[in-house]
Amino acid sequence: MAESFRKAFEVVDRKLHAPAILMTIVWLWLIAGAAWSGHAKAFPGLLLFFGCSAVTYFLLCQQKALAEAVSRAADIFSIPPSLRNGALWIAGAVAVVIALLHFILFDGFTVVAALAADDQIAIALMRQDVTASLPRFMKYASSIAAHGLFPIVIVLAIANGQRMLALLTGAVGLVYAICLMQKSGPILLMLPLAVYLLSTRHLIKAALTIAVVGVVVIFMGFAANPQVRPAAMVTLSKELQKTRITKPAADVASMPSPRISAADDASNANLLGASLLYRVLVTPGEVVGQWFDVIPAQIPFGEGCGYRFLTSLLHCNFQNYPRILYDHLFPSEASMGLKGTVNAASMMTAYANFGWLGLALIGVFHAIVAWVLLIIFQRDP
């Protein structure tokens, strides 16, 4: 068995297993968060998911003939080296254009309005409206740009020595992530770059990338929580309220949140930092535990209706589980008109629809994706 295990992984440089290693780290992250928050009920499901992923990945790594076939198939869709830089610039331009369209046509500068507001509920409604008010095509375009084009272009531009392109798309992508007002946005944008820099042993650059993300997330925390803003941001808020660059906060505000004194700036910054750290390290696993607690005990399995593309085939209404769980877990906030979501790892949608079978199948799917990426990286690291 040990010899078989060794041969399964000797075909490539170990660092090319980075996708599978990253998935393992995320799994451990979820396990730790669930344990810390007391959601032991999540352990069996997470173990099933990881077990199916690990076994599938191990078996695939022994299939040299299949790997060669996938590599030959990938050659058909590969971009010639002479065209790669141009393709990267086009992809970056598309991402920037999508962000600009959101800013110009759909009032995407929500963070400015949030800074001018002094009511937490009003700001929450603004955050909700950032994407909820968009037409459907723009919702898809925004998601593709923020979660796909920007991070991919940044990493590939750095890998191919296109520093100007990386700087441009990184700057625009970071501003766009801030304006979308989801604290996970900057993290998802820059995490692939940080992982790439770590894998190539550019430790200082990776540390700087992580530091920039940390500063941005803290700034977003102050923007969304007026009661803990430092004195400088309180002054900025008052100045913005005098301008006409965006809608007045009074359009949605109910009553100002209690202000803090300037003397409490340091302690409140520490409080906000601790809260954000908890959200980053613990909340993802805690949310997974909440899904396991509620489904199917209080909310039934969707049996496929939680996937929009299956609803027409199954003749059922779409079950938006993140929204359903928000209304279930936070009834008081929902009664105020907040339409939030309790987003979890992608595997939880499979569980919400198909239970244990869904977890097993999505584990197999994740392993296949990691293995295909392994083949691609082996061809062209």
Side-chain angles (χ1 to χ4, degrees), residues 313-341:
L313 297 175
L314 299 174
H315 304 290
C316 60
N317 295 323
F318 174 60
Q319 302 294 312
N320 189 337
Y321 276 96
R323 178 69 56 79
I324 292 172
L325 263 77
Y326 182 88
D327 294 344
H328 181 85
L329 296 172
F330 306 101
S332 60
E333 287 82 355
S335 66
M336 297 179 189
L338 293 175
K339 298 179 181 178
T341 56

Side-chain angles (χ1 to χ4, degrees), residues 23-307:
M23 289 182 185
T24 303
I25 292 172
V26 170
W27 177 78
L28 292 171
W29 181 12
L30 296 177
I31 281 282
W36 187 271
S37 57
H39 288 88
K41 194 174 181 178
F43 293 171
L46 289 172
L47 288 171
L48 173 64
F49 167 79
F50 181 74
C52 291
S53 296
V55 170
T56 303
Y57 188 76
F58 169 71
L59 294 175
L60 286 172
C61 285
Q62 299 185 72
Q63 307 302 315
K64 295 183 179 180
L66 183 59
E68 292 173 357
V70 172
S71 181
R72 288 194 299 270
D75 287 335
I76 300 174
F77 301 99
S78 63
I79 301 175
S82 59
L83 301 178
R84 288 180 185 176
N85 288 340
L88 268 182
W89 276 96
I90 291 173
V94 170
V96 170
V97 167
I98 291 173
L100 291 177
L101 285 175
H102 194 168
F103 290 144
I104 297 170
L105 299 182
F106 302 105
D107 193 20
F109 294 98
T110 312
V111 69
V112 181
L115 286 170
D118 54 9
D119 175 70
Q120 195 169 14
I121 298 299
I123 294 172
L125 290 170
M126 292 176 192
R127 292 176 60 194
Q128 169 183 303
D129 198 49
V130 172
T131 53
S133 61
L134 295 177
R136 179 168 293 183
F137 81 90
M138 194 63 200
K139 288 181 181 179
Y140 286 118
S142 174
S143 181
I144 290 171
H147 302 144
L149 290 178
F150 274 120
I152 291 173
V153 170
I154 291 170
V155 172
L156 292 181
I158 290 293
N160 287 275
Q162 297 289 322
R163 295 184 179 179
M164 182 61 68
L165 175 60
L167 182 62
L168 174 64
T169 53
V172 175
L174 204 54
V175 171
Y176 189 44
I178 293 171
C179 289
L180 291 178
M181 294 191 67
Q182 298 295 326
K183 298 181 188 68
S184 61
I187 298 173
L188 295 176
L189 174 72
M190 305 304 288
L191 180 61
L193 175 61
V195 171
Y196 172 78
L197 292 173
L198 286 172
S199 68
T200 54
R201 299 182 181 179
H202 291 86
L203 302 184
I204 295 178
K205 292 180 180 179
L208 289 174
T209 301
I210 295 170
V212 168
V213 172
V215 170
V216 168
V217 171
I218 291 174
F219 168 79
M220 294 173 69
F222 283 133
N225 298 275
Q227 72 276 14
V228 296
R229 288 174 183 166
M233 289 193 71
V234 173
T235 302
L236 174 63
S237 175
K238 291 178 179 178
E239 291 299 319
L240 288 173
Q241 290 173 15
K242 300 175 184 179
T243 70
R244 294 188 177 183
I245 58 177
T246 186
K247 295 185 296 182
D251 287 355
V252 291
S254 54
M255 61 182 297
S257 299
R259 294 288 190 189
I260 60 164
S261 65
D264 292 330
D265 282 355
S267 62
N268 280 277
N270 291 335
L271 179 64
L272 179 63
S275 175
L276 292 175
L277 193 63
Y278 183 90
R279 292 192 64 175
V280 170
L281 298 179
V282 179
T283 297
E286 182 180 21
V287 169
V288 167
Q290 290 172 335
W291 279 60
F292 279 113
D293 288 343
V294 172
I295 302 171
Q298 300 170 45
I299 298 174
F301 290 126
E303 298 181 353
C305 296
Y307 289 104

